[in-house]
Structure formats: C-alpha cells, structure tokens
Amino acid sequence: MIRTFKVEIKPTKQQRELFAQAFGYRRYAWNWGLDKHEKVYLEFGKSVGAYGLDTQFNEAHQGEEFAWMKNLNSMIKTSALIDLGESIKAWYRYLREAKHASNKVNINKGRPKFKKKGVCEETFRLFAKNYNTFMIKSRYHIEVNWTRSVGRLTVRSVESIDFLKDIDIKTMTITSQGGKYFMSLTYEKTNRRPKCKEGVVGCDLGVAHVVVTNDGQETRFFDVPDTLKKQEELFSKRQSRLSRKTKDSKSYRKQKLLVEKAGVKQVKIRRDFAHKLTSWLVSNYSEIKIDDFSFAEYIQSEPQAQFIKSKVRNHSAYRVAPCQIKEMLIYKAEETGSVIKYVPKFTRSTQTCCRCGHVFEGDHKLTLKDRWYDCPDCGSHIKRDENSAIFVYKLPIK
C-alpha cells in the first residue's frame, strides 16, 4: 500500500532561499511547457507528451543565461512537465466526454493555466533515483541528494520520522503555505494496523453534529472542536481586514500572509479530527455502516438548500469536510480488516422513525430546519441525527 506522511519542516535560511528558487523553477518549467504545447498544437494539431517536452526543454536551455538551473535538482522540472502532461490528458478526456453531453458544458473547465507567483501553490516534487536519494539521518532529520554543486541537504522536521528509517521512500514534496514549510513523503507501507474489534456501528453525517454513531447500546455525538471555531473566527476577522487593504501594497502582503496562516491552521485541525475519528471507528468495530451519498448532494436535494448555504458556518458537517472522513475511513478499514457497508442512496433514514418505521412524506416531510424527530405513531421524541444513526444501525445491508 502506498501511503503519504506529511510533516512540517524547519529549513535554514539558505534552504529557504534554495526552496524559493525551486518553486520558481517549477513555475518556469510548467509555463514553458504549456506555451510550447499550445504553439505546437496550433501549428500541427498535435499534442506534445511530457517526455517530449522534457527533451526539448533540455535542448533549449544550454546557454550561460540558464546557469542558475545547475544549482537546482533536474527532477523539479521533470515532475512539473509530467504533471502538465497528466493535466493536458485529463482536459482532453473531459472534452471528449463533453461532445456526447446533452447539455452545454464549459470547455475551459480543467484547462491547464499559466502559473503566477503569489497566486499558484508553491510546491515542487523530487523522485527517488536510487537508494540514497532520501536517507533518514536521525529522528528529526532527513538527507536529500540535491545536486553535485550543492551536495546533500539535511532537512529538519518538527515531528519524528524515525519510523521511515528502513522504508523505501518513493517521492518527496515540499510545499510552502502561510509562511510555513511542509514535507510529504510517499512510501510503500508493509506493516498493518492492529486488527479491529468485533462490533457493528451505524454512522450518520449529521447537520447539528459532525458524526453520530450508534452500536445498539450507546449513541455518541462527535462535534466540531472548539479550536476550529476559534480559528474560523480569527480567519474571518483577518479576511475582513484584508479586504480593506490596498491590493499589492506592503500591508496587503503582510495581512495576506496572516490569512494564509489561519487557513493552514484550520486545515490541520480538520485533518487531525478526521484522523482521530476514523482511527477510533476502525479499531473498535468490524462492520461500519455509512450513507452512500455526499453531504453536498443531500443539501442540494433539499428544498431548504438556500437556508443551509446562508448559514454554512453554523453546521458541523460542512466545517470538517465529510468527504475527507469517508476517504480516510475506506483506506483505514482495509488495513484493520473492517467492512464498510453503504446504505442505499434513496433510503430515507432521516424521515423514518427508528422505532416504529413511520415515514414523513409529502407536505409533512421534515426539512433541514427540523432537528428533532417527533413520531405521530409511537410518540418518540428524539434528535433527528440520533434517530438516523439508530435507523442505519438496525438496517439490514448485504
């Protein structure tokens, strides 16, 4: 299994300057390749592959004016051109599908664009050419084979990476977000998680709560962390201050960096919450029942869609990326041996009573404003999200 471990790093001043040059090198290679592709396509009607662009790039950059590239790893521009080739292929695939579409589509959707400093994501990727390209030097340090002129770089991480010492690292990706630097290491994982415990649980992606679970004995409610609420308020304040700054001024750039820092903090809190929740589920239950549709589809299908969209910040499921929770749950279940069973798409779990089976239909159908389930048949008064979790637990799924 291929896994990725992302960790914050603390580069030195010289390394930050080198990384800044690498970010620019990737942007330059991407823009050069995209420009070359468009010219060839307009003249001959053919597309240039990633390896063809790589060969032409090397031939076109031999003079002394391109001597600055010698201090940078050649894999940076190679990975940029490979990503460009994949992006072009994906766009062509979309255009072929758009020809057979019944309705009008935007043909520029997914089209590769030129990258601009300060607007695009600052990142670059390195591949492992041989066994000593990436080497774990100590618990917090990794050595990278950069170039002959620069030599090997020793990058310090914030968290321990000692567990990767005897593992073959495939790629390394360096990213800059909000003034901080992050390193993503891709490797092949051989050891598995501990086997899960026996048990069945029904999960509901709620509105008032992030996730509600029921295992037949106890109902648990998982809410948005308080730290995330504070970061969202801080992010909103900084954004409003940014809107009052003169664009591209010195104060604007400073405020923009503060906004990015708050945004990075939110992402880290969401990911941490999702990891803890999914790890707890797969380690305690052998069978997990979840809905087989996205929360966005559910919101769009409801008549109160505008009500929800206008109050997004007040609803937990929007704030922690439920799709991310599902993705983590799927790959962690494979490692522990848990089985994920999906509730059929059109099962009305939120409209059906978990005790007597009464269903609200027609004009009496519950809307997203109704957060309590009051059954007219059995008289049960229960939270709507809890009712849905119990119904999913009891529902027989093959």
Side-chain angles (χ1 to χ4, degrees):
M1 293 177 289
I2 303 297
R3 291 289 177 261
T4 301
F5 179 73
K6 186 175 182 180
V7 61
E8 184 182 348
I9 58 175
K10 295 292 185 182
T12 62
K13 184 178 180 181
Q14 291 77 13
Q15 289 175 351
R16 288 197 297 269
E17 293 175 357
L18 205 61
F19 290 165
Q21 293 176 7
F23 296 146
Y25 189 24
R26 176 181 170 82
R27 283 195 307 271
Y28 176 82
W30 174 283
N31 293 336
W32 183 92
L34 183 57
D35 181 65
K36 189 71 175 179
H37 167 266
E38 291 184 350
K39 288 179 180 178
V40 172
Y41 188 80
L42 289 174
E43 186 175 355
F44 302 102
K46 295 182 180 180
S47 177
V48 186
Y51 294 101
L53 288 172
D54 194 10
T55 303
Q56 295 180 30
F57 185 93
N58 293 334
E59 294 175 354
H61 297 81
Q62 296 293 337
E64 294 182 359
E65 56 182 324
F66 303 110
W68 58 274
M69 295 182 181
K70 293 181 180 180
N71 292 332
L72 300 170
N73 199 310
S74 61
M75 288 186 287
I76 297 173
K77 57 92 179 172
T78 302
S79 62
L81 295 175
I82 290 174
D83 292 344
L84 175 62
E86 293 297 326
S87 181
I88 292 173
K89 286 181 183 178
W91 183 52
Y92 285 162
R93 198 180 306 118
Y94 171 77
L95 292 179
R96 287 195 296 269
E97 295 174 357
K99 289 182 180 179
H100 305 287
S102 57
N103 54 345
K104 292 183 179 180
V105 295
N106 183 13
I107 61 174
N108 290 321
K109 183 180 179 180
R111 182 175 183 175
K113 299 179 181 179
F114 291 96
K115 296 186 180 294
K116 183 180 179 182
K117 183 179 180 180
V119 178
C120 66
E121 183 183 18
E122 300 289 0
T123 181
F124 67 88
R125 186 167 74 255
L126 302 176
F127 300 103
K129 286 186 176 181
N130 46 53
Y131 72 94
N132 66 345
T133 303
F134 311 115
M135 294 182 65
I136 306 298
K137 189 177 179 181
S138 66
R139 187 177 180 183
Y140 296 98
H141 295 85
I142 181 172
E143 265 193 357
V144 184
N145 193 4
W146 194 258
T147 58
R148 290 183 180 179
S149 58
V150 177
R152 298 181 68 86
L153 296 180
T154 302
V155 184
R156 182 185 181 277
S157 65
V158 175
E159 300 177 27
S160 173
I161 55 175
D162 194 42
F163 71 97
L164 297 171
K165 193 169 186 178
D166 299 325
I167 297 177
D168 186 19
I169 300 174
K170 305 293 184 183
T171 64
M172 170 192 277
T173 304
I174 303 294
T175 309
S176 176
Q177 296 176 336
K180 295 185 178 181
Y181 292 83
F182 299 91
M183 173 179 63
S184 300
L185 301 174
T186 303
Y187 61 96
E188 189 171 358
K189 187 175 182 179
T190 54
N191 58 326
R192 301 175 65 88
R193 292 172 179 266
K195 193 174 180 181
C196 59
K197 300 177 183 178
E198 293 295 328
V200 182
V201 65
C203 301
D204 176 68
L205 294 175
V207 175
H209 307 277
V210 178
V211 174
V212 182
T213 64
N214 182 273
D215 55 5
Q217 297 179 353
E218 183 181 0
T219 301
R220 293 182 174 88
F221 301 90
F222 297 90
D223 295 319
V224 174
D226 293 335
T227 53
L228 180 59
K229 298 177 182 178
K230 294 178 181 178
Q231 286 299 320
E232 286 176 341
E233 294 175 359
L234 181 63
F235 183 78
S236 179
K237 290 179 181 179
R238 290 180 177 180
Q239 265 194 329
S240 62
R241 290 174 185 172
L242 181 65
S243 64
R244 295 191 292 270
K245 303 287 184 182
T246 304
K247 196 170 183 180
D248 294 332
S249 63
K250 188 175 180 179
S251 59
Y252 179 88
R253 290 192 293 269
K254 286 184 178 180
Q255 189 64 32
K256 185 180 179 182
L257 183 61
L258 293 175
V259 172
E260 291 177 357
K261 286 183 178 180
V264 170
K265 189 78 172 181
Q266 289 184 59
V267 172
K268 292 171 70 174
I269 294 172
R270 290 191 185 99
R271 189 181 294 115
D272 178 72
F273 173 80
H275 273 299
K276 289 178 179 178
L277 172 62
T278 52
S279 296
W280 178 80
L281 285 172
V282 298
S283 61
N284 287 280
Y285 301 101
S286 59
E287 184 178 320
I288 304 170
K289 299 179 181 180
I290 60 174
D291 294 324
D292 190 22
F293 61 91
S294 66
F295 192 79
E297 291 177 357
Y298 172 67
I299 294 299
Q300 292 171 2
S301 64
E302 285 284 339
Q304 299 295 327
Q306 296 300 324
F307 168 76
I308 288 294
K309 289 179 181 179
S310 63
K311 298 184 178 181
V312 162
R313 293 186 179 276
N314 297 329
H315 293 82
S316 298
Y318 261 111
R319 300 161 76 174
V320 292
C323 293
Q324 186 184 56
I325 294 177
K326 284 189 177 181
E327 290 175 1
M328 290 182 179
L329 198 61
I330 291 171
Y331 83 77
K332 289 182 181 181
E334 292 178 0
E335 297 179 359
T336 57
S338 298
V339 178
I340 297 180
K341 293 188 176 181
Y342 296 98
V343 178
K345 263 193 172 183
F346 300 102
T347 302
R348 292 175 289 184
S349 59
T350 60
Q351 305 288 337
T352 308
C353 180
C354 62
R355 295 181 181 176
C356 65
H358 173 79
V359 182
F360 284 101
E361 295 179 323
D363 297 336
H364 301 286
K365 187 177 179 181
L366 297 178
T367 64
L368 290 175
K369 293 180 180 179
D370 303 317
R371 300 318 315 157
W372 287 85
Y373 194 100
D374 296 311
C375 182
D377 291 352
C378 64
S380 63
H381 177 72
I382 189 173
K383 285 185 177 181
R384 189 177 174 183
D385 294 337
E386 182 180 1
N387 173 79
S388 180
I390 298 173
F391 177 80
V392 170
Y393 168 76
K394 293 181 178 179
L395 187 69
I397 305 174
K398 295 181 180 180

